[in-house]
Amino acid sequence: TAENPTDLLISELVEGSSFNKAIEIYNGTGAEVDLAEYEIEIYFNGNTTVGNSVQFSDTLADGETYVVADDGAAAGILDVADATDSGNFFNGDDVVMLKRGDAVVDVFGTVGVDPGSEWPGGGANDTLRRLPAVCAGDTDPTDAFDAAVEWDALPSDTFDGLGTHTTECGGGPVEDA
């Protein structure tokens, strides 16, 4: 199996009907992480400047997820959300980037590219769940992007896995001796 991630990952994106939008990040690093060091940046419609950003203030335990949802989302999303955002969230053709300071930790999409209504492999009115075998984020915000390479595209308004992430990184669960 693959190594533990060395940093956080974007593990799920919900881009559903109306305000049903959420971003889930996953900590598989083996240690608690101070989320105050991180932020999410959203780039709208091919822009190269940040259109919205979300800052954190909590800590995230190893093996746990953190969900930020649009404050107008359905109860099924808000019930598992750790935080809400009232600004412009994202659509299926936008870039979602997770940063630690100035360093890109993970990115969904390509900054400066407007793919039309959605990215190749999905994004518009989809729930996109990171494949369990993905153990490292995409740290190049300018490389070509195809969601099908690292993401499962699920039907609109699929929330059943939000708040949890399954991974094949780091050898699987540790058993007590």
Side-chain angles (χ1 to χ4, degrees):
T1 59
E3 296 290 319
N4 275 337
T6 57
D7 216 326
L8 303 180
L9 293 172
I10 301 169
S11 50
E12 189 162 335
L13 295 169
V14 175
E15 201 286 302
S17 62
S18 189
F19 294 105
N20 290 340
K21 299 177 191 322
I23 300 167
E24 176 190 270
I25 56 176
Y26 170 71
N27 178 9
T29 64
E32 184 175 86
V33 172
D34 181 2
L35 291 178
E37 299 176 15
Y38 294 83
E39 74 175 330
I40 292 172
E41 294 180 348
I42 301 171
Y43 297 76
F44 300 115
N45 306 317
N47 282 315
T48 57
T49 55
V50 177
N52 187 18
S53 63
V54 179
Q55 279 77 36
F56 306 102
S57 60
D58 298 322
T59 58
L60 183 59
D62 178 51
E64 297 294 317
T65 61
Y66 191 91
V67 176
V68 180
D70 187 293
D71 64 354
I77 293 174
L78 294 176
D79 288 348
V80 297
D82 296 289
T84 58
D85 184 75
S86 60
N88 286 332
F89 227 34
F90 64 96
N91 287 312
D93 62 345
D94 296 330
V95 172
V96 177
M97 186 184 308
L98 178 64
K99 292 180 79 175
R100 182 179 189 175
D102 291 332
V104 176
V105 173
D106 198 6
V107 62
F108 179 90
T110 304
V111 172
V113 173
D114 184 346
S117 62
E118 71 177 359
W119 295 100
N125 299 313
D126 292 328
T127 292
L128 293 146
R129 212 171 271 159
R130 205 70 173 264
L131 296 173
V134 176
C135 299
D138 177 359
T139 59
D140 184 351
T142 62
D143 63 354
F145 182 78
D146 181 344
V149 175
E150 294 190 354
W151 301 83
D152 272 334
L154 304 167
S156 183
D157 295 331
T158 301
F159 319 138
D160 63 341
L162 195 62
T164 63
H165 181 62
T166 301
T167 181
E168 297 167 2
C169 307
V174 176
E175 296 180 25
D176 291 332

